[in-house]
Amino acid sequence: DFTSHLPWDDDSVDLLVSHHALQMVTYVKLRSTLAEWYRIVKPGGRIRISVPNTLAAFNAWLSADAGWFPIVDEAETSLDGKLCAYLTWYSEARTVFTFGWLQELLREAGFVNVVGAYWPGASSPHLATAERIPGETELDTRIEESIYIVGDKP
C-alpha cells in the first residue's frame, strides 16, 4: 500500500518513480499519498510520475481515433467503449488527471520546478526540458498516451 506510511526514512530517496500507479489512488487519498512521497524524497531529489492522459483520450475520442487507445478490440470494439475502458482502466483506475491538475497537486505537496518531462519525439503540448538524472527514464513506456511530470524537492 503506497498510500500510507512507507518503510523508508524521511529524506532518504533520490528518485521516486510512479509509473501508471497514481490513478489507482482514490481522490480522497491523493494529497496524503503525495505528502508521504514528499516525506521520503531527499532534498535535491526528484519525483517522476506518469499517469494516463485524460485530455489526450478525449481528443482521440473527439477525432474518432480508435487506434489511439491501447484497448484491444477483443475487449471493446466501439470508440465509446474504448474511451470508457481507458478512463477506468477496466475498473482499476479511481482518479483521472490533467497535466495542470497533477502539476498543481505536486506543487501543493511541496515540490518545485514541476514540469512536463521531456523525451525526444513526444507529442504532448505540456513538455518542457527537464534535466534527467541517471535511471530516470528507464521505465518509460506508453509514452504517447501518458502524462509525464517531474518535480524536485527543495
Side-chain angles (χ1 to χ4, degrees), residues 104-128:
E104 179 184 329
L105 288 168
L106 287 174
R107 287 178 176 160
E108 189 179 297
F111 292 99
V112 297
N113 306 322
V114 180
V115 296
Y118 173 80
W119 59 89
S123 60
S124 171
H126 299 294
L127 295 178

Side-chain angles (χ1 to χ4, degrees), residues 48-61:
R48 181 179 181 83
I49 297 175
S50 68
V51 292
N53 190 332
T54 302
L55 294 180
F58 277 113
N59 287 335
W61 179 78

Side-chain angles (χ1 to χ4, degrees), residues 59-83:
N59 287 335
W61 179 78
L62 287 171
S63 64
D65 183 5
W68 180 90
F69 294 94
I71 307 297
V72 296
D73 287 342
E74 291 79 16
E76 293 295 337
T77 56
S78 73
L79 182 62
D80 287 1
K82 288 181 184 295
L83 173 66

Side-chain angles (χ1 to χ4, degrees), residues 1-145:
D1 180 8
F2 61 84
T3 66
S4 60
H5 188 77
L6 296 171
W8 291 282
D9 292 335
D10 294 0
D11 303 328
S12 62
V13 174
D14 292 313
L15 172 65
L16 188 151
V17 176
S18 171
H19 182 58
H20 278 255
L22 191 59
Q23 72 272 15
M24 306 307 182
V25 176
T26 63
Y27 176 86
V28 173
K29 285 191 163 190
L30 277 177
R31 286 174 172 83
S32 63
T33 297
L34 291 172
E36 176 62 8
W37 292 1
Y38 183 85
R39 178 190 70 79
I40 66 171
V41 174
K42 287 180 182 177
R46 174 171 291 164
I47 189 168
R48 181 179 181 83
I49 297 175
S50 68
V51 292
N53 190 332
T54 302
L55 294 180
F58 277 113
N59 287 335
W61 179 78
L62 287 171
S63 64
D65 183 5
W68 180 90
F69 294 94
I71 307 297
V72 296
D73 287 342
E74 291 79 16
E76 293 295 337
T77 56
S78 73
L79 182 62
D80 287 1
K82 288 181 184 295
L83 173 66
C84 293
Y86 179 78
L87 291 177
T88 64
W89 201 251
Y90 307 100
S91 298
E92 296 295 321
R94 295 189 167 115
T95 306
V96 295
F97 294 95
T98 62
F99 176 85
W101 188 48
L102 186 53
Q103 186 178 47
E104 179 184 329
L105 288 168
L106 287 174
R107 287 178 176 160
E108 189 179 297
F111 292 99
V112 297
N113 306 322
V114 180
V115 296
Y118 173 80
W119 59 89
S123 60
S124 171
H126 299 294
L127 295 178
T129 301
E131 184 178 332
R132 295 183 192 174
I133 60 176
E136 182 175 343
T137 61
E138 289 174 7
L139 300 176
D140 290 0
T141 61
R142 303 170 65 179
I143 290 172
E144 294 303 321
E145 50 120 349

